[in-house]
Amino acid sequence: QVQLVESGGGLVQAGGSLRLSCAASGRTFSTYNMGWFRQAPGKDREFVAAITWTGGITNYATSVKGRFAISRDNAKNTVYLQMNSLKPEDTAVYYCAAGRSAYMSEFNRYDYWGQGTQVTVSS
């Protein structure tokens, strides 16, 4: 069992930065691939970024590539999402998720989810 708690969301102006954190409970965090997804009002949940359990492989949605960076610290049971050059279209609730599938961009491949943190980017 893994419990995930996101933090770091907030209101930021376009062009600004935020760093989201996702703290995990349990001793098995380091064995899970981790992903970030987001959901805007009226839209489906979409993939943002993912990282393998070793941290050796990362994957990004085209819309955030070059602006966002995912990382993890297995000693702290935490995964991060550094978001730079934010745009109004990045406004959404951001969720972290843990899973063991190699299909890291597919939300139904994850076993555990956090409650989400709101990110709002003003123009």
Side-chain angles (χ1 to χ4, degrees), residues 3 5 14-15 19 21-22 24 32 35-36 43 49-51 59 67 73 84 91-92 94 100 105 116-118:
Q3 292 184 324
V5 179
R19 188 175 83 154
S21 299
C22 173
Y32 283 88
W36 285 98
K43 295 189 176 182
I51 188 167
N59 189 15
R67 299 189 298 122
D73 185 338
N84 300 324
T91 295
Y94 283 71
R100 292 198 167 114
S105 63
T117 185
Q118 176 70 48

Side-chain angles (χ1 to χ4, degrees), residues 7-12 17-20 36 38-41 68 81 83 86-95 116-122:
S7 61
L11 174 64
V12 64
S17 298
L18 282 174
R19 188 175 83 154
L20 304 184
W36 285 98
R38 67 187 181 186
Q39 188 165 19
F68 290 12
L81 185 68
M83 306 186 295
L86 282 161
K87 305 175 181 180
E89 51 264 43
D90 295 318
T91 295
V93 177
Y94 283 71
Y95 300 89
T117 185
Q118 176 70 48
V119 171
T120 302
V121 184
S122 63

Side-chain angles (χ1 to χ4, degrees), residues 23-123:
S25 66
R27 294 179 292 177
T28 60
F29 170 79
S30 63
T31 67
Y32 283 88
N33 298 330
M34 298 297 296
W36 285 98
F37 290 77
R38 67 187 181 186
Q39 188 165 19
K43 295 189 176 182
D44 293 334
R45 189 168 299 192
E46 65 171 353
F47 169 73
V48 176
I51 188 167
T52 54
W53 62 278
T54 63
I57 297 174
T58 57
N59 189 15
Y60 296 94
T62 302
S63 59
V64 307
K65 198 172 293 184
R67 299 189 298 122
F68 290 12
I70 188 170
S71 62
R72 66 188 297 161
D73 185 338
N74 286 342
K76 295 183 178 180
N77 278 14
T78 302
V79 63
Y80 305 97
L81 185 68
Q82 178 67 44
M83 306 186 295
N84 300 324
S85 302
L86 282 161
K87 305 175 181 180
E89 51 264 43
D90 295 318
T91 295
V93 177
Y94 283 71
Y95 300 89
C96 70
R100 292 198 167 114
S101 171
Y103 297 94
M104 296 191 296
S105 63
E106 299 179 19
F107 76 91
N108 59 355
R109 300 285 187 163
Y110 286 83
D111 302 310
Y112 303 102
W113 291 84
Q115 83 290 348
T117 185
Q118 176 70 48
V119 171
T120 302
V121 184
S122 63
S123 58

